[in-house]
Amino acid sequence: RLGRRLSGALADGGSVTVWVNPDMPRDSVLDRGVRWGLTAFKSVFVLLFGGFGFGLLIFGIRAPKPKDPDNPEFADRPWLANDAWQGGPLRSSSKAAMWGAWGFATFWNLIAMPLPFLLYEEVTVKKNYPALLALVFPIVGIGLLYWATRQTREWRRFGPTPLTLDPFPGSIGGHVGGTIDLRQPFRPGTTYALTLTNLESTISGSGKNRSRRERASWQDRRIAHAEPGPLGTRLLFRFDVPAGLEASDAAQNNDDYTIWRLGLEAEFGGSNLDRSWELPVYPTAEHSQSLDERQLEAAQSVQSTADAATVAERIEVRHTPAGKSLYYPMGRNAWSSLMGVFFGGVFAAAGWFLVYTEGVMIMGGIFSLVGWAIVLFALYMGGNSLEVWQDGIELHSKRRLFGLTVRHRKLHRNAFYRFEKNSTMQSQSGGKHTFLYTVYAVGHSAGKITLGEGFHGESEADAAIRLIARELGLPLPDEASANDDGPLEYNALAADN
């Protein structure tokens, strides 16, 4: 506006008011007005980064001094180096997660929301249409606000959900068990799913590019036994934990440390229950008394039924002239595939922009390669199907991509020896880790073919093996060899039983 006013005055020969400092004429100004839009925009960064720094100062002053886990007083009970692990009820991370969600959503939106106003001139005047990609950031900001709102509703509905461990601490080579109290009326038939995960948290990279990552090394899933409790509903649970796993790190002040995380999920109308706790778990070989045999059998029965129902939804049983076939249809990973295509496309578009608009060949090429690799993998995840059948002589496993056969493997029925299940992939969403299992048929000569995939957790993979064995007429699992200390073993010797 100032430029247009000056140009008009120059063209018309008009005058322009100037404010002059007589003692310092070079300080003269043409416009004394406050640019409120620019002031407000820059104030966002002042408040955002200044407030964040001020908050860190307060946190650093008020935070309790960490204890040294190597202190001799903690030699026999290292978990006592963590103030939250003194033997009382453990609090979930839900309240901190709620405030963290609001903090991150606010931080993101304060930066992202001015972008549409800044982009207006860039697109309409300069015709820089690739700049529209920046609108992704305000859209993500709206999603973050929705996420924070859901976290708040969930917290207000279910409360702090205190967890009492039995034994305390949880035991490697024994049990991790206890009770969880919910501020929720007892509802028979509600399924409460628990997941216990042993995680390795590590720092990767160097310098400014250092980042922390988590990888699960062991996981088990259980259905909790629910009954009326003092706050409304009490959940009782028990996990059998094998020996040899790493113990919790009480201080968590090193680059690499171990976490034991317990997650709880349940479906309710309106807002679903989602809680997690970090537990002290050490090699004490202690056992839990929280569940009696009747309660344990009831919980196992619910879990078996739930796993069977989930597997039946994942596997499509078809009737053919030769018998039955098991079909894992194209599109079963549709949501993951769409997200992969979206994010891969963003990377590829950014690479194209850097190469053809900015001339940044190396970085643009890297972005493009990464983006297209993500897109191709996502298309494979969404476009592949698997069909498994037997013709009386051989087991067949055929993989198709968009209907075209890309792999067909066979195993003679008489060569079948046992089932095998392996966790070939992990998926992560926030702090949640899921082991994805693939089921194989293994022959006497060590050859194997894929019979099923994408099963969440070991118990679901066990249920899948039972269904596959039943539908394809393979030897049933030898359940007589099962015990509480490990998974079932599946082999052809069960045919003799």
Side-chain angles (χ1 to χ4, degrees):
R1 288 195 299 267
L2 177 63
R4 287 195 295 269
R5 184 158 60 87
L6 292 175
S7 297
L10 179 63
D12 299 337
S15 62
V16 176
T17 301
V18 179
W19 285 267
V20 180
N21 180 353
D23 298 327
M24 194 70 68
R26 66 184 180 186
D27 288 346
S28 303
V29 295
L30 289 167
D31 186 0
R32 297 189 303 177
V34 177
R35 298 175 65 184
W36 292 109
L38 184 62
T39 301
F41 179 67
K42 291 190 174 183
S43 296
V44 168
F45 296 93
V46 174
L47 296 174
L48 186 63
F49 293 101
F52 183 73
F54 187 68
L56 283 178
L57 286 172
I58 295 176
F59 177 79
I61 294 171
R62 298 185 60 182
K65 184 178 179 180
K67 298 177 181 178
D68 181 8
D70 296 327
N71 192 311
E73 68 174 303
F74 304 128
D76 296 331
R77 296 182 294 174
W79 54 89
L80 294 181
N82 189 318
D83 288 334
W85 295 348
Q86 302 301 307
L90 301 174
R91 300 290 177 178
S92 71
S93 60
S94 55
K95 189 174 184 180
M98 177 187 69
W99 288 115
W102 278 111
F104 185 68
T106 302
F107 181 90
W108 184 283
N109 280 282
L110 284 174
I111 293 177
M113 288 309 173
L115 284 175
F117 304 98
L118 299 176
L119 290 174
Y120 179 78
E121 184 177 354
E122 187 74 15
V123 175
T124 58
V125 177
K126 299 182 180 180
K127 309 301 180 182
N128 183 12
Y129 296 110
L132 289 171
L133 286 173
L135 291 176
V136 170
F137 292 94
I139 294 172
V140 171
I142 295 172
L144 290 173
L145 289 173
Y146 174 73
W147 169 56
T149 301
R150 289 195 61 181
Q151 291 282 93
T152 304
R153 290 177 59 192
E154 195 262 359
W155 164 257
R156 294 185 63 182
R157 180 172 184 178
F158 300 106
T161 58
L163 181 154
T164 302
L165 282 178
D166 172 31
F168 189 95
S171 173
I172 297 172
H175 293 156
V176 170
T179 59
I180 302 171
D181 288 306
L182 302 178
R183 193 175 65 194
Q184 191 69 210
F186 174 65
R187 297 181 180 180
T190 301
T191 300
Y192 298 90
L194 289 164
T195 304
L196 180 64
T197 309
N198 179 222
L199 298 161
E200 298 298 325
S201 181
T202 60
I203 291 286
S204 61
S206 60
K208 295 185 295 182
N209 297 320
R210 287 161 59 90
S211 60
R212 181 165 294 280
R213 296 185 178 183
E214 292 180 350
R215 179 167 180 82
S217 55
W218 179 87
Q219 186 179 79
D220 197 7
R221 298 163 68 92
R222 288 285 184 268
I223 300 297
H225 172 74
E227 61 183 32
L231 299 182
T233 300
R234 168 162 286 183
L235 308 180
L236 299 92
F237 66 93
R238 191 184 85 187
F239 289 89
D240 301 309
V241 180
L245 298 174
E246 292 293 325
S248 302
D249 190 313
Q252 297 185 3
N253 56 4
N254 299 319
D255 283 353
D256 302 338
Y257 54 82
T258 301
I259 301 171
W260 282 83
R261 183 175 293 145
L262 178 68
L264 169 64
E265 293 180 300
E267 294 185 0
F268 289 85
S271 59
N272 293 335
L273 176 63
D274 188 352
R275 289 284 192 270
S276 67
W277 299 259
E278 290 191 5
L279 309 182
V281 183
Y282 290 84
T284 61
E286 296 290 335
H287 290 76
S288 175
Q289 305 299 322
S290 295
L291 282 170
D292 59 34
E293 291 304 316
R294 178 188 61 81
Q295 295 169 330
L296 183 61
E297 289 177 3
Q300 290 175 340
S301 175
V302 173
Q303 179 165 357
S304 178
T305 302
D307 288 337
T310 302
V311 167
E313 292 177 357
R314 294 187 189 279
I315 304 177
E316 182 180 333
V317 180
R318 294 180 171 181
H319 295 270
T320 66
K324 293 181 180 178
S325 69
L326 307 179
Y327 190 65
Y328 304 82
M330 180 177 67
R332 61 192 184 279
N333 303 308
W335 177 247
S336 299
S337 179
L338 287 173
M339 294 300 295
V341 169
F342 173 75
F343 285 107
V346 170
F347 267 80
W352 175 86
F353 175 77
L354 290 173
V355 171
Y356 292 100
T357 305
E358 303 296 328
V360 184
M361 302 298 295
I362 296 178
M363 185 60 68
I366 293 174
F367 266 72
S368 294
L369 288 175
V370 171
W372 281 112
I374 294 174
V375 168
L376 291 175
F377 180 74
L379 290 175
Y380 174 80
M381 290 290 292
N384 84 91
S385 63
L386 178 67
E387 185 176 12
V388 178
W389 75 95
Q390 62 91 13
D391 57 12
I393 300 175
E394 292 178 314
L395 293 171
H396 297 259
S397 178
K398 181 178 287 188
R399 177 83 62 185
R400 295 183 178 92
L401 184 61
F402 296 108
L404 301 176
T405 301
V406 294
R407 188 173 62 207
H408 185 183
R409 292 184 176 177
K410 306 174 184 179
L411 179 69
H412 201 284
R413 281 185 59 89
N414 292 336
F416 174 78
Y417 174 60
R418 63 183 175 87
F419 288 96
E420 179 180 292
K421 58 180 185 291
N422 288 327
S423 176
T424 55
M425 186 182 297
Q426 293 183 28
S427 66
Q428 181 177 353
S429 176
K432 298 178 184 177
H433 298 256
T434 301
F435 278 51
L436 300 178
Y437 279 82
T438 299
V439 173
Y440 303 96
V442 180
H444 287 283
S445 59
K448 65 181 182 181
I449 64 173
T450 302
L451 299 182
E453 60 189 8
F455 304 113
H456 294 188
E458 192 166 337
S459 63
E460 193 173 299
D462 287 338
I465 289 175
R466 295 188 184 96
L467 184 147
I468 293 169
R470 183 177 70 247
E471 298 296 343
L472 297 184
L474 296 173
L476 294 173
D478 182 9
E479 297 185 355
S481 67
N483 54 65
D484 292 337
D485 298 323
L488 298 177
E489 291 294 330
Y490 301 92
N491 54 66
L493 298 179
D496 297 334
N497 295 329

